[in-house]
Amino acid sequence: MINEDKREFFRYRCHSSCELKHLNEIYQCTLVDYSDGAGVIIDNIPGLTPGSKVNVMASEPEIELIGKIAWIKEKESGLRAGIRRLDNIRGFLQDYPFSAVLFGLKRSAKTGVLEVRDGLIIKKVFVENGDMVFASSSDRADRLGVLLLKEGRITLEQYVDSTNELKLKGQRLGKILVEIGAITPKDLYEVVRHQIEEIILNLFTILHGKFEFFEGPLTSREVITLRISVANLIYHGIKRIDDFEYVEKMCPSLGDILAVNPNPLNVFQDLDLEPSYKMILSLVNGNDQLREILAKAEASDFETLKDIFTQ
């Protein structure tokens, strides 16, 4: 692979029309792949050389990026160009699965804030060197008190008392819950970590929201040093997806032969596998088609597809 064409995020193949803007002129091209960059089939555009700054716009998938030409070469399909993205990676979650976004951030060891918008709801994941360290949400259902109440870890009276204190003092809710005796200081770290995990896991169920990653250093207030396993987030997050068409779109075809990667990336070294997942892995042998794996698996086809999606 050309070094300039190396990308940290998964590539998604497509074949759709796009516009390429160069030197204030707009040219019609074909988008053949996208990720944290793009691949396009172009005509002989005057003055377009490696290093040229371009804008790429496509409607399906809905892609818009500012980048520079990494390389241009003749291929069987025509004159191809690889584009390295210069602006923030952003897009729609129906085109970039949330699991792949987390994977790309981990693999590239980026630092910054991943913002996801779903209507009026805004959720943020704070990332440091590729690790998920904190998360916040404007959704009332993601609030710490609501989460603990729903899980039966605090009473309704403790919830009401803590929210009243929050309005008066403006302190973090976790500290207030400790002060009123709802949780112990020892439990505080664990419940905050659980809240952050739940905020991130619930993002997997948002299939049509927008996302954007704002790269840059985190403030000391944001970094709480909760290093959360990206592999386990991806595994358990995909388990929460109930949309069959979405899972089907991301999985191989029934006739595809599946094999386990002999060189798994470090991202997945700390994955805590459930017995059902281990069984699916044992069926992915490099010989059987997807339809044969589904026939042998003990779980339903849908649950098995979700296990395969995580691979």
Side-chain angles (χ1 to χ4, degrees):
M1 177 183 293
I2 299 172
N3 186 53
E4 282 287 318
D5 195 33
K6 183 180 179 182
R7 302 189 206 161
E8 302 292 352
F9 288 70
F10 287 123
R11 292 172 189 250
Y12 296 96
R13 305 295 177 184
C14 59
H15 193 86
S16 59
S17 60
C18 69
E19 293 183 340
L20 185 147
K21 184 178 180 181
H22 173 58
L23 298 177
N24 295 320
E25 295 291 334
I26 295 178
Y27 302 90
Q28 298 300 314
C29 306
T30 301
L31 182 71
V32 293
D33 72 67
Y34 65 92
S35 60
D36 51 335
V40 295
I41 299 176
I42 60 175
D43 293 323
N44 288 307
I45 299 175
L48 191 69
T49 59
S52 296
K53 190 174 180 179
V54 296
N55 289 34
V56 178
M57 294 154 286
S59 57
E60 192 175 342
E62 192 169 337
I63 304 294
E64 183 175 348
L65 65 86
I66 299 171
K68 70 172 183 178
I69 301 296
W71 53 267
I72 299 175
K73 67 183 301 184
E74 187 73 40
K75 293 195 174 183
E76 290 184 4
S77 56
L79 195 63
R80 290 278 297 271
I83 301 170
R84 173 173 290 178
R85 186 165 206 147
L86 298 176
D87 59 347
N88 292 339
I89 183 167
R90 64 184 185 275
F92 293 85
L93 292 175
Q94 65 262 36
D95 301 319
Y96 294 82
F98 186 66
S99 57
V101 176
L102 291 189
F103 176 88
L105 294 175
K106 176 63 177 180
R107 189 178 181 189
S108 57
K110 289 187 179 296
T111 294
V113 180
L114 173 63
E115 182 177 284
V116 178
R117 291 176 176 265
D118 182 28
L120 298 177
I121 300 297
I122 301 174
K123 302 191 182 191
K124 297 179 180 180
V125 180
F126 298 86
V127 184
E128 187 176 52
N129 299 324
D131 292 324
M132 313 296 119
V133 297
F134 193 63
S136 64
S137 172
S138 66
D139 190 346
R140 291 178 59 87
D142 287 327
R143 293 181 179 179
L144 181 60
V146 174
L147 176 65
L148 296 178
L149 177 65
K150 289 167 66 175
E151 293 183 350
R153 301 178 70 167
I154 63 173
T155 66
L156 178 59
E157 184 173 2
Q158 288 171 327
Y159 171 75
V160 172
D161 288 345
S162 62
T163 52
N164 288 336
E165 286 291 303
L166 180 65
K167 294 174 184 177
L168 289 173
K169 297 181 178 180
Q171 298 174 331
R172 288 189 180 273
L173 185 62
K175 182 178 180 181
I176 293 172
L177 288 170
V178 171
E179 289 177 350
I180 67 173
I183 60 174
T184 67
K186 184 179 178 181
D187 290 336
L188 180 57
Y189 176 89
E190 187 267 329
V191 298
V192 171
R193 181 185 182 89
H194 177 53
Q195 178 200 20
I196 291 170
E197 288 178 337
E198 285 298 308
I199 290 173
I200 299 174
L201 289 172
N202 286 335
L203 283 167
F204 284 84
T205 64
I206 300 176
L207 306 182
H208 302 286
K210 299 179 182 179
F211 78 92
E212 183 167 2
F213 182 71
F214 300 90
E215 189 168 3
L218 303 180
T219 68
S220 58
R221 177 181 170 277
E222 291 161 348
V223 179
I224 305 184
T225 323
L226 298 175
R227 307 290 170 180
I228 300 173
S229 166
V230 173
N232 283 306
L233 286 172
I234 290 174
Y235 175 63
H236 292 289
I238 289 174
K239 287 288 193 179
R240 296 195 179 191
I241 300 174
D242 286 327
D243 189 301
F244 169 70
E245 291 184 0
Y246 181 84
V247 173
E248 182 187 35
K249 175 184 173 183
M250 300 303 165
C251 282
S253 300
L254 283 171
D256 288 342
I257 295 175
L258 307 186
V260 176
N261 188 338
N263 299 304
L265 295 167
N266 290 336
V267 175
F268 296 101
Q269 297 301 324
D270 59 350
L271 181 58
D272 185 16
L273 296 177
E274 295 179 358
S276 62
Y277 188 81
K278 291 179 181 179
M279 191 273 288
I280 297 300
L281 279 179
S282 70
L283 297 176
V284 178
N285 54 24
N287 297 311
D288 289 347
Q289 297 178 350
L290 174 59
R291 60 167 51 89
E292 295 171 305
I293 294 172
L294 293 174
K296 294 177 182 178
E298 295 177 0
S300 69
D301 285 1
F302 184 46
E303 291 302 317
T304 303
L305 283 176
K306 286 196 282 187
D307 278 335
I308 290 170
F309 184 10
T310 64
Q311 300 177 39

